[in-house]
Amino acid sequence: MALTWTNFASFKDVVKHYESIKPLVSKLHTREDDIRPIGDRNRKYERIVKISRNCYALSDGYHEGDDKFLSYGIHEYDYKTKTRTTHWDRLGKMEYYAPIVWRKHKDGTETVQVRNCIGDNSHYSMGRYAFLERHMPNGMQFIMGHSALQYVGIVGEKHYLAKCKTVPRGYYRQFKEATYFKEWMQTTDDNSALVFIRRTGGTWLHDPTTGKSLPQKPKVNKELKAKYKEAIDKFFEWGMTMSPLLPLSNEYNQDKAHELRKHFGSVDYVSDEFTPTRAREILRSPNHPMRLNYWVLFTSSVADYDYNQKGWVYTYPVQHVETKEQLQKVKSRFNSFINTNAGFMTKPKQ
């Protein structure tokens, strides 16, 4: 299947391309479905959708709002009755969720709306990003960035393209009890999409009322951590003293991790019961039965590994400290481990 690149310079170009495409008709699609692939007809889900005579969407398919190529969460299959249910209240509107939406307004101005995928700040969609890269308007550029951050570039500027947190009400109700997902979801417009106004000459101006600020990075809760400073220092000193005596290995470390989970009531391979509160409980208690297990958990997290003829070979920096520089490196990694594992990081709101 060939990839298609477009570089529409105006609303008129979009309309012209739409009208040049013969609707795809098959046993799956009628002429009324108006499936008009942007390019390769084998990639029919990548299409131009006419919302109205003044609004056209460039869709990458299988996202919220697409009523022909439905997002995967809309369907539910009951294996007992062997029936499939389609939840239309999870659909949403194409003009809201499509990656690119062109509009022509009553005063003659033209705008383009660009939207990221749906999810929390760490979410990503390579399919969506590839589509945006290939179909940005003339004068705009999609920029991947780093650390799960994406941008839209125009001449001399780049604007942060936030993840969309707005979901159809049906999705929100579906995850009502699942706080892991619901913590970032909302049903009102989160203003995450970027809108650009086409100026005379074909350049673009960002509408400053659209888009969001860059997400804040997690910060150390220094006030909370200060209360545990003595306990943290003693735990590190004790652990470094113990390390040369420990038979650290992949098997040994897994056994200790299993004991840790079991002690706090977790099932195999699930550590959700080992919370930051319990990590701090271990730090405060020199005689805690899981103190050694918690230290081994840290040693596992900083293990170096390599592969040779005998398989994976693990080495543990905590057992090879001979200089101040090596000690400082281990302590730095321990500090990062404690900040995260014992809950001393304040996470920004998603």
Side-chain angles (χ1 to χ4, degrees):
M1 294 187 288
L3 294 177
T4 300
W5 297 70
T6 64
N7 199 217
F8 299 128
S10 67
F11 183 83
K12 182 180 178 180
D13 288 349
V14 178
V15 176
K16 183 179 179 181
H17 191 70
Y18 169 83
E19 293 178 345
S20 73
I21 304 169
K22 183 180 179 180
L24 189 152
V25 179
S26 68
K27 62 180 180 180
L28 297 176
H29 306 293
T30 65
R31 183 172 294 275
E32 289 69 31
D33 286 336
D34 197 33
I35 305 298
R36 303 199 187 205
I38 296 176
D40 189 343
R41 295 174 78 81
N42 287 321
R43 298 176 71 89
K44 58 186 178 180
Y45 47 89
E46 293 186 346
R47 60 196 180 107
I48 300 183
V49 181
K50 182 178 181 179
I51 309 298
S52 70
R53 65 188 182 92
N54 292 316
C55 181
Y56 289 75
L58 275 58
S59 172
D60 55 353
Y62 304 107
H63 58 75
E64 286 67 22
D66 193 330
D67 63 348
K68 299 299 185 293
F69 301 96
L70 302 176
S71 66
Y72 301 108
I74 286 181
H75 294 306
E76 280 189 9
Y77 187 79
D78 189 322
Y79 288 93
K80 292 183 179 180
T81 62
K82 296 183 178 180
T83 58
R84 186 173 69 170
T85 303
T86 302
H87 298 273
W88 292 108
D89 60 345
R90 301 177 190 173
L91 180 62
K93 296 182 178 181
M94 171 66 78
E95 60 266 37
Y96 187 86
Y97 290 107
I100 300 174
V101 178
W102 283 80
R103 289 183 172 91
K104 187 172 184 178
H105 302 270
K106 291 182 179 180
D107 62 1
T109 59
E110 299 177 11
T111 61
V112 168
Q113 173 184 288
V114 184
R115 187 175 295 281
N116 208 323
C117 56
I118 293 179
D120 63 16
N121 290 339
S122 62
H123 189 67
Y124 65 93
S125 169
M126 296 310 297
R128 171 62 57 96
Y129 303 150
F131 184 87
L132 287 172
E133 184 179 22
R134 290 186 283 115
H135 298 291
M136 293 299 286
N138 190 1
M140 288 191 206
Q141 177 187 11
F142 176 71
I143 303 171
M144 271 299 293
H146 60 87
S147 301
L149 303 179
Q150 292 78 43
Y151 305 85
V152 173
I154 55 178
V155 178
E157 302 173 5
K158 73 174 183 178
H159 300 273
Y160 171 58
L161 185 61
K163 305 301 190 307
C164 178
K165 311 294 174 56
T166 303
V167 297
R169 291 187 179 276
Y171 269 125
Y172 193 83
R173 285 194 290 268
Q174 178 190 7
F175 290 110
K176 187 175 182 180
E177 304 302 326
T179 55
Y180 174 77
F181 292 99
K182 188 186 171 187
E183 64 183 7
W184 58 263
M185 288 183 177
Q186 62 185 71
T187 55
T188 56
D189 179 26
D190 67 346
N191 199 36
S192 59
L194 292 170
V195 175
F196 296 88
I197 304 167
R198 185 175 181 271
R199 297 189 288 195
T200 303
T203 58
W204 296 96
L205 174 68
H206 171 234
D207 180 347
T209 67
T210 65
K212 304 183 74 172
S213 301
L214 281 166
Q216 294 182 343
K217 296 180 179 179
K219 296 181 180 179
V220 177
N221 186 335
K222 294 181 179 179
E223 184 178 350
L224 175 61
K225 190 176 179 181
K227 298 177 181 179
Y228 291 84
K229 183 181 184 309
E230 184 178 355
I232 293 171
D233 290 344
K234 287 184 177 179
F235 182 63
F236 180 74
E237 292 172 6
W238 172 84
M240 291 303 293
T241 302
M242 290 291 295
S243 291
L245 308 175
L246 299 177
L248 297 177
S249 67
N250 195 35
E251 183 178 357
Y252 173 81
N253 297 353
Q254 287 181 357
D255 288 343
K256 291 301 178 184
H258 174 77
E259 293 173 4
L260 185 66
R261 290 192 296 268
K262 188 175 181 180
H263 179 84
F264 288 110
S266 297
V267 296
D268 284 353
Y269 309 113
V270 178
S271 58
D272 56 329
E273 295 298 325
F274 184 65
T275 62
T277 300
R278 286 171 171 165
R280 296 198 291 265
E281 173 189 321
I282 293 173
L283 290 173
R284 286 196 306 261
S285 307
N287 297 317
H288 197 286
M290 290 293 106
R291 196 168 175 84
L292 175 61
N293 302 67
Y294 189 43
W295 177 258
V296 172
L297 185 66
F298 161 66
T299 67
S300 297
S301 72
V302 298
D304 296 321
Y305 54 90
D306 196 4
Y307 191 80
N308 60 24
Q309 294 179 344
K310 296 182 179 180
W312 289 106
V313 178
Y314 294 83
T315 57
Y316 300 90
V318 294
Q319 292 182 323
H320 302 278
V321 176
E322 298 177 357
T323 66
K324 289 183 178 180
E325 289 75 17
Q326 290 173 329
L327 177 62
Q328 185 58 43
K329 186 176 181 180
V330 171
K331 193 165 187 177
S332 177
R333 297 173 78 174
F334 172 76
N335 191 46
S336 298
F337 170 83
I338 286 294
N339 285 342
T340 302
N341 196 274
F344 296 125
M345 301 297 292
T346 300
K347 294 183 179 180
K349 185 178 180 181
Q350 290 283 353

